[in-house]
Amino acid sequence: MRLTLIYPSVGRNGDRPYVRAWQMQPLSMALLASLTPDDVEVRFYDDRMETIPFDEPTDLVAISVETFTALRAYRIARQFRARGVPVVMGGYHVTLVPEEAQAEADAIVVGDAEPVWRELLEDARCGRLRPVYQANGPKSLSGLRPRRPLFDRYNYQNITLVEFARGCNFTCDFCSITAFHRASHHHRPVAEVAEEMAATGSRRFFIVDDNIVSQPARARDLCRALAPLGINWVGQASIHIARDDELLALLVESGCRGVLIGMESLDPANLRDMGKSWNLAPGSYEESLRRFREHGLAVYGTFVFGYDNDTRGLIEDSVAFAREQKLFLAAFNHLIPFPGTPLYRRLEEQGRLLKPRWWLDPSSRVGEVVFRPRQLEPDELEALCLDARRKFYAWGSIFERLRDRRANASTLLLAGVYLGLNIGAHFDIDLRQGMSLGAGLPERVEAHEPLPV
Ligand code: SF4
């Protein structure tokens, strides 16, 4: 049996890729490959970096679907299904809107793939795929060992991705991750994670967990297991640990060099509305960031604009704050109503969704605001986000922030990473803005019945 794994892109501008600077290994693909029996021939195509050979013979296609890639994923599925090849889909988006994905696939996986993948493959081999595969029973993340040679022929970022846990115990209203995991947080055995990292031979890791410190005690266990490895790693965390000096020190001892922190808003009322008031629990952002810096941790701060208190002034203040605080990197995104989240339901009930199923609408663009903000026009919010990125990644700002020796340039190597990432982000701003979702596939797909928007 031949299995083709596809990781779809958001879209394409002709032959140009979606982004240049951030292509990372799609870890979920290596995990699926590792769960696949040895007698199945596995091929993998990364739609972000290459053209999919639709006519290459295969017996089953598996596509990982996120909301931003859903339209393109469905179009890819139609190409294969038109050639008589069955298609299975899984991922966050499929779990959050299963009925939509079911219409475009022969089978879908709801929730984690590990418990059902072998059964699904056996059913495909026997020509008896069921429409839905869903794991029941307690979740276990023991025994995972991604098949990384899958990535050998690609020029991904020189950083190895690894997973410690899935989910998060917090309940931010816009977050599709916590909606998928229902505010639960499940961990792999710490020893297995450390063993896997050592076995890769890599010294640089991105631990992909959405919030590595949602359960601080488990984060401590991980740090203690990683400290002897002598590695460098980055991850995603929340700011509520700012006063936990022991954990901050352990993170650094384990090789953590920086964390992505969802700061979201400077406005307490906005934080309350999104269910993230706890962001200010350890004190002001200035105080919390000072503590991270004192420990030598670089911070990638992310902001989201479009909550009810957001105004032009507040957005401009946020950019000035990010520059003053010399954040290592920052993201300034408008609020995105992902299906299955409390935010989506709230905006829908209030009649504020301009494109209720924006992810299926070919007229939707990357960067487009698809709901009506309270104090700004949608176009105005889009322009303010773009302007925020331009100001933060302006040359003057990049060199000014490099002057934070403690967190951004503590070593020559770190300063080099800082410059590489910031310069990459500088050039990527306009590359991704405005691209139509799903764009860039052959005509043949467009001739099919339109997707139900
Ligand atoms: S802390 Fe992060 S991962 Fe957790 S619910 Fe909030 S946004 Fe999602």
Side-chain angles (χ1 to χ4, degrees), residues 168-172 174-175 177-178 210-211 238 264 276 278:
C168 174
N169 289 126
F170 292 110
T171 52
C172 307
F174 58 84
C175 180
I177 287 133
T178 202
D210 296 295
N211 186 351
S238 41
E264 324 301 5
K276 209 159 179 168
W278 48 266

Short mmCIF file of all heavy atoms in Angstrom, two decimals, residues 168-172 174-175 177-178 210-211 238 264 276 278, ligand 1:
data_model
loop_
_atom_site.label_atom_id
_atom_site.label_comp_id
_atom_site.label_asym_id
_atom_site.label_seq_id
_atom_site.Cartn_x
_atom_site.Cartn_y
_atom_site.Cartn_z
N CYS A 168 -3.69 23.07 26.93
CA CYS A 168 -3.40 24.17 27.85
C CYS A 168 -4.57 24.24 28.82
O CYS A 168 -5.72 24.00 28.42
CB CYS A 168 -3.28 25.48 27.06
SG CYS A 168 -3.09 26.94 28.10
N ASN A 169 -4.29 24.54 30.09
CA ASN A 169 -5.37 24.60 31.08
C ASN A 169 -6.11 25.93 31.08
O ASN A 169 -7.13 26.06 31.74
CB ASN A 169 -4.83 24.32 32.47
CG ASN A 169 -4.44 22.86 32.64
OD1 ASN A 169 -3.32 22.53 33.00
ND2 ASN A 169 -5.35 21.97 32.31
N PHE A 170 -5.59 26.92 30.37
CA PHE A 170 -6.29 28.20 30.33
C PHE A 170 -7.40 28.18 29.27
O PHE A 170 -7.46 27.25 28.44
CB PHE A 170 -5.29 29.33 30.04
CG PHE A 170 -4.33 29.55 31.17
CD1 PHE A 170 -2.99 29.21 31.04
CD2 PHE A 170 -4.76 30.08 32.38
CE1 PHE A 170 -2.09 29.40 32.09
CE2 PHE A 170 -3.87 30.29 33.43
CZ PHE A 170 -2.54 29.94 33.29
N THR A 171 -8.23 29.21 29.29
CA THR A 171 -9.40 29.21 28.40
C THR A 171 -9.57 30.56 27.71
O THR A 171 -10.64 31.16 27.77
CB THR A 171 -10.69 28.87 29.18
OG1 THR A 171 -10.76 29.75 30.32
CG2 THR A 171 -10.71 27.44 29.68
N CYS A 172 -8.52 31.05 27.06
CA CYS A 172 -8.63 32.31 26.33
C CYS A 172 -9.71 32.16 25.24
O CYS A 172 -9.72 31.15 24.53
CB CYS A 172 -7.29 32.69 25.71
SG CYS A 172 -5.97 32.68 26.92
N PHE A 174 -10.33 33.26 22.32
CA PHE A 174 -10.06 33.21 20.87
C PHE A 174 -9.27 31.96 20.48
O PHE A 174 -9.00 31.74 19.31
CB PHE A 174 -9.23 34.44 20.46
CG PHE A 174 -7.93 34.55 21.22
CD1 PHE A 174 -6.80 33.86 20.81
CD2 PHE A 174 -7.85 35.31 22.38
CE1 PHE A 174 -5.61 33.94 21.54
CE2 PHE A 174 -6.67 35.40 23.11
CZ PHE A 174 -5.55 34.70 22.68
N CYS A 175 -8.93 31.12 21.44
CA CYS A 175 -7.90 30.11 21.22
C CYS A 175 -8.49 28.77 20.74
O CYS A 175 -9.22 28.11 21.48
CB CYS A 175 -7.11 29.91 22.51
SG CYS A 175 -5.81 28.68 22.36
N ILE A 177 -6.77 26.15 20.16
CA ILE A 177 -6.03 25.03 20.75
C ILE A 177 -6.74 24.53 22.00
O ILE A 177 -6.97 23.34 22.17
CB ILE A 177 -4.59 25.47 21.08
CG1 ILE A 177 -3.81 25.60 19.78
CG2 ILE A 177 -3.89 24.49 22.00
CD1 ILE A 177 -3.02 26.83 19.66
N THR A 178 -7.10 25.48 22.85
CA THR A 178 -7.77 25.06 24.08
C THR A 178 -9.19 24.55 23.76
O THR A 178 -9.70 23.67 24.45
CB THR A 178 -7.74 26.19 25.14
OG1 THR A 178 -7.91 25.59 26.41
CG2 THR A 178 -8.73 27.27 24.90
N ASP A 210 1.85 24.49 23.04
CA ASP A 210 1.23 25.81 22.96
C ASP A 210 1.44 26.62 24.23
O ASP A 210 1.44 27.85 24.18
CB ASP A 210 -0.25 25.66 22.62
CG ASP A 210 -0.38 25.05 21.25
OD1 ASP A 210 0.03 25.70 20.29
OD2 ASP A 210 -0.80 23.88 21.14
N ASN A 211 1.58 25.93 25.33
CA ASN A 211 1.92 26.64 26.57
C ASN A 211 2.67 25.67 27.47
O ASN A 211 2.07 24.86 28.17
CB ASN A 211 0.67 27.17 27.27
CG ASN A 211 1.03 28.03 28.47
OD1 ASN A 211 2.19 28.09 28.87
ND2 ASN A 211 0.04 28.68 29.04
N SER A 238 3.36 31.24 29.17
CA SER A 238 2.48 32.36 29.54
C SER A 238 3.16 33.16 30.65
O SER A 238 3.98 32.65 31.41
CB SER A 238 1.09 31.87 29.95
OG SER A 238 1.17 30.72 30.74
N GLU A 264 -1.05 39.90 24.19
CA GLU A 264 -2.38 40.17 23.62
C GLU A 264 -2.78 41.65 23.67
O GLU A 264 -3.09 42.22 22.66
CB GLU A 264 -3.49 39.33 24.27
CG GLU A 264 -3.13 37.91 24.67
CD GLU A 264 -2.65 37.02 23.53
OE1 GLU A 264 -2.49 37.52 22.41
OE2 GLU A 264 -2.37 35.83 23.78
N LYS A 276 -8.32 36.58 29.89
CA LYS A 276 -6.89 36.51 30.14
C LYS A 276 -6.43 37.57 31.13
O LYS A 276 -5.29 38.03 31.08
CB LYS A 276 -6.16 36.67 28.78
CG LYS A 276 -4.83 35.97 28.74
CD LYS A 276 -4.34 35.68 27.35
CE LYS A 276 -2.99 35.01 27.38
NZ LYS A 276 -2.57 34.44 26.12
N TRP A 278 -5.57 37.14 33.96
CA TRP A 278 -4.44 36.60 34.73
C TRP A 278 -3.08 37.00 34.14
O TRP A 278 -2.06 36.86 34.80
CB TRP A 278 -4.55 35.07 34.84
CG TRP A 278 -4.83 34.36 33.54
CD1 TRP A 278 -6.05 33.99 33.06
CD2 TRP A 278 -3.87 33.96 32.57
NE1 TRP A 278 -5.92 33.38 31.84
CE2 TRP A 278 -4.58 33.34 31.51
CE3 TRP A 278 -2.48 34.04 32.47
CZ2 TRP A 278 -3.96 32.82 30.38
CZ3 TRP A 278 -1.85 33.52 31.35
CH2 TRP A 278 -2.60 32.92 30.33
S1 SF4 B 1 -2.65 30.58 27.30
FE1 SF4 B 1 -2.21 30.38 25.10
S2 SF4 B 1 -2.56 28.22 24.58
FE2 SF4 B 1 -3.51 28.61 26.59
S3 SF4 B 1 -5.66 29.08 26.10
FE3 SF4 B 1 -4.56 31.04 26.20
S4 SF4 B 1 -3.90 31.47 24.06
FE4 SF4 B 1 -4.47 29.28 24.18
#
